[in-house]
Each structure stands twice: as C-alpha cells, then as structure tokens.
Amino acid sequence: MSDYETVKLEKRGSVAVLIINRPDKLNSLNSKVHTEGVAVLDQLRRDETVRVLVITGAGEKSFIAGADISEFAGQTSVSQRNVFLEKTLFNSIDNFPKPVIAMINGFCLGGGCELALACDIRTASEKARFGQPEINLGIIPGGGGTQRLTRLIGEGKAMEMILTGDMIDAQTAFTLGLVNNVFSPEELETKTFELADKIAEKSPIALQMAKEAVKIASRSNLDEGLRREIDLFAVCFSSEDKEEGVAAFLEKRKPVFKGR
Ligand code: COA
C-alpha cells in the first residue's frame, strides 16, 4: 500500500498500522524514517477512514532500538540541534489528532522508547526490553525522554533509567506504568487490535477532544486544565455524534458515530 523505503503502511478496517521497517538495523530511527514517518502521519491525519493508528517495528526482535547511532558521527551541536528541531516523528505523533497505540514487540530503546512515550497507549510483548541507554554514548535523551518518561513514571524511576542506561523487562515496565498492558508474543497483535478496534468505534470528534484534554493535564496547572476541559467538552456538543450517542442510549441501541 506504500512506496516508502524505511516504513510500511497497512490498513485493517479503520485502524492504520505504521511499521518501522529496518529490521536489519533493529528498526533504528535514521533521518529517512523521520521524513517518511512524518509524511505518512500527514496523510493519515486527513484520511477520514482512519480512526486509530498503531505503530510497531518490523521483525521479531525489535520495536525500535533507538536513533540510528551511525548518523551521530560527525554531527556538531548546532547541526544535531537543528535535526531535532525539525519535523520529527516524535512531534508528529504528539500532535496527531487521532489515538496512537505503540505495539512494542521487542527492543524499545533510546529514541524508540521516546517514540513509544509520544504515543497515547503502549502495549508490549513479554519479550520487550525498555531503556534510555543514551548515557552510555556520552549523551542524553533528546526526543522527549527526560520530559515524557518523568511525567509518566515519576522522577526517581526516570532518573534511574536515564542515569544508568540499564534495560528493564516488560513486567517491570508494566509495574512502573510505562506500558498499559503486557501480552505473550503470540497474543500481542490480536489484543492490541482488539483495543484499537474498540477505540475506533467511538466518536472521532470525542476521541480528539479527549486526547487533547488529557494531554493538557501534564502540561498546565489544574485551574487552566479544568477550564480548557470545559471548552473541549463543549466542542463535542456541536457534533452530530453527540446527538447520535445520546439518541442511541435513549433508544437502547448501539451508536454509529460518523465523525461529524
Ligand atoms: N543505531 C544503528 N544501528 C543499530 C542500532 C542503533 N541504535 N541498534 C542496533 N543497530 C544495528 C547493529 O549495529 C547491527 O548492525 P550490523 O548487523 O550491520 O552490525 C544490527 O542492528 C543488529 O544489532 P546487534 O547489536 O548485532 O544485535 P544484538 O542482539 O547483539 O544487540 C542491542 C541488540 C539492542 C542490545 C544492541 O543492538 C544495541 O545496544 N543497540 C543500540 C541501542 C542504543 O544505544 N540505542 C540508543 C541510541 S541513542
């Protein structure tokens, strides 16, 4: 379905799947992955038939084993800063208006962990391994790791992962709240798509407003967050989907949401 070199795009009903496709390099993120991934997300954000996005890595071994380290060689501080200030996949995911699920099938390291953190929900295989090993290269996370990991699992545990660079297993990641669910490798896909399909049945407008409102919680103070929640709640009242949801409840039937 796509002509990309480093990513693949598939569609299963109203769920799109973005596969990072460099298995021989453990799906590490080079600049082409960022460019192609951003292009795919731009396409999907306009595609009304797509209601949920799942992101995963090609092959059995790795989700994403970090930034492509070979691209760091020779970069200066200014050039590397500009790379990360440009349109990255991290930012495109963060700004994507539809729900995004990271389906973590293996190594989830460095930029891979940061990419998963930019997603809304994370499901993981029991075989997945997580870490922010940048410290071992004499650098620190630059794709949001110090900020999003800390907000998600707290300062102490984020500090330990980032300062040691050690990997943790999927069960530990679950205990820390880094992933929402852990499944056997055989079940990962089925369970993740069950979750994606369940979300895809909801009103796309309500999903977008809900996402925006929840994200505000870790980015503003309580008074501002509560005020903005009311505005986003009110936006839902301008939708046909709200009328459909209310009518379906009163008529004791399943709603059919159209995203209008
Ligand atoms: N950047 C570039 N290439 C990478 C990579 C990365 N982040 N991670 C893995 N690769 C490449 C390896 O160089 C190797 O390529 P080669 O076959 O051409 O030599 C290939 O992917 C397979 O990796 P390999 O190291 O042989 O697999 P392994 O099972 O022995 O080890 C890891 C797996 C994940 C532990 C190891 O690859 C690793 O530590 N990767 C780097 C992780 C990292 O530091 N990420 C943060 C970057 S900021």
Side-chain angles (χ1 to χ4, degrees):
M1 199 177 148
S2 64
D3 296 324
Y4 299 104
E5 186 188 307
T6 61
V7 301
K8 276 199 290 188
L9 175 60
E10 292 176 2
K11 272 181 74 180
R12 304 187 190 185
S14 51
V15 178
V17 191
L18 173 68
I19 302 162
I20 310 302
N21 191 27
R22 302 180 72 219
D24 54 327
K25 297 291 176 190
L26 304 189
N27 304 320
S28 56
L29 302 172
N30 63 9
S31 50
K32 190 132 202 183
V33 176
H34 280 288
T35 310
E36 293 189 336
V38 168
V40 169
L41 263 64
D42 282 347
Q43 174 191 334
L44 295 177
R45 74 169 51 228
R46 291 188 300 270
D47 184 341
E48 285 185 9
T49 66
V50 170
R51 295 200 175 180
V52 174
L53 172 63
V54 171
I55 302 182
T56 195
E60 303 281 298
K61 191 169 166 181
S62 182
F63 173 66
I64 298 166
D68 185 329
I69 296 169
S70 67
E71 288 192 348
F72 286 163
Q75 289 277 17
T76 66
S77 55
V78 173
S79 62
Q80 187 60 46
R81 185 168 188 266
N82 287 337
V83 168
F84 270 37
L85 285 175
E86 278 167 18
K87 264 188 138 184
T88 61
L89 197 43
F90 310 119
N91 293 335
S92 277
I93 294 168
D94 195 26
N95 294 324
F96 196 66
K98 309 175 193 195
V100 187
I101 302 175
M103 181 167 75
I104 302 162
N105 50 314
F107 285 118
C108 182
L109 304 174
C113 194
E114 292 174 300
L115 188 143
L117 288 164
C119 297
D120 302 314
I121 295 177
R122 287 152 288 281
T123 60
S125 152
E126 283 163 355
K127 290 202 315 206
R129 295 287 176 276
F130 300 79
Q132 295 289 165
E134 291 87 347
I135 202 83
N136 298 326
L137 301 171
I139 57 175
I140 70 168
T146 62
Q147 303 305 300
R148 292 198 182 95
L149 186 65
T150 306
R151 279 168 167 77
L152 192 63
I153 69 172
E155 186 175 298
K157 288 296 177 186
M159 205 61 105
E160 187 178 340
M161 283 181 71
I162 290 168
L163 298 188
T164 64
D166 286 349
M167 285 190 220
I168 57 172
D169 62 22
Q171 201 51 50
T172 308
F174 175 72
T175 309
L176 291 176
L178 177 44
V179 296
N180 297 66
N181 299 102
V182 179
F183 302 115
S184 69
E186 300 75 36
E187 278 190 321
L188 176 66
E189 204 168 300
T190 313
K191 295 285 188 191
T192 303
F193 282 97
E194 274 173 24
L195 176 64
D197 287 338
K198 178 188 280 190
I199 295 171
E201 284 184 5
K202 317 291 183 197
S203 160
I205 294 169
L207 288 172
Q208 182 178 349
M209 297 309 138
K211 242 189 97 152
E212 219 171 302
V214 172
K215 277 177 175 255
I216 290 167
S218 60
R219 295 164 197 223
S220 69
N221 66 40
L222 183 60
D223 286 340
E224 189 193 340
L226 291 171
R227 179 70 188 73
R228 290 180 65 189
E229 183 193 72
I230 292 172
D231 292 340
L232 294 165
F233 165 74
V235 169
C236 299
F237 280 69
S238 66
S239 70
E240 284 177 29
D241 282 351
K242 183 273 278 181
E243 294 300 334
E244 166 64 6
V246 171
F249 176 80
L250 296 175
E251 292 161 19
K252 301 189 188 302
R253 63 174 172 83
K254 211 173 161 210
V256 181
F257 293 119
K258 296 188 178 138
R260 286 197 281 274

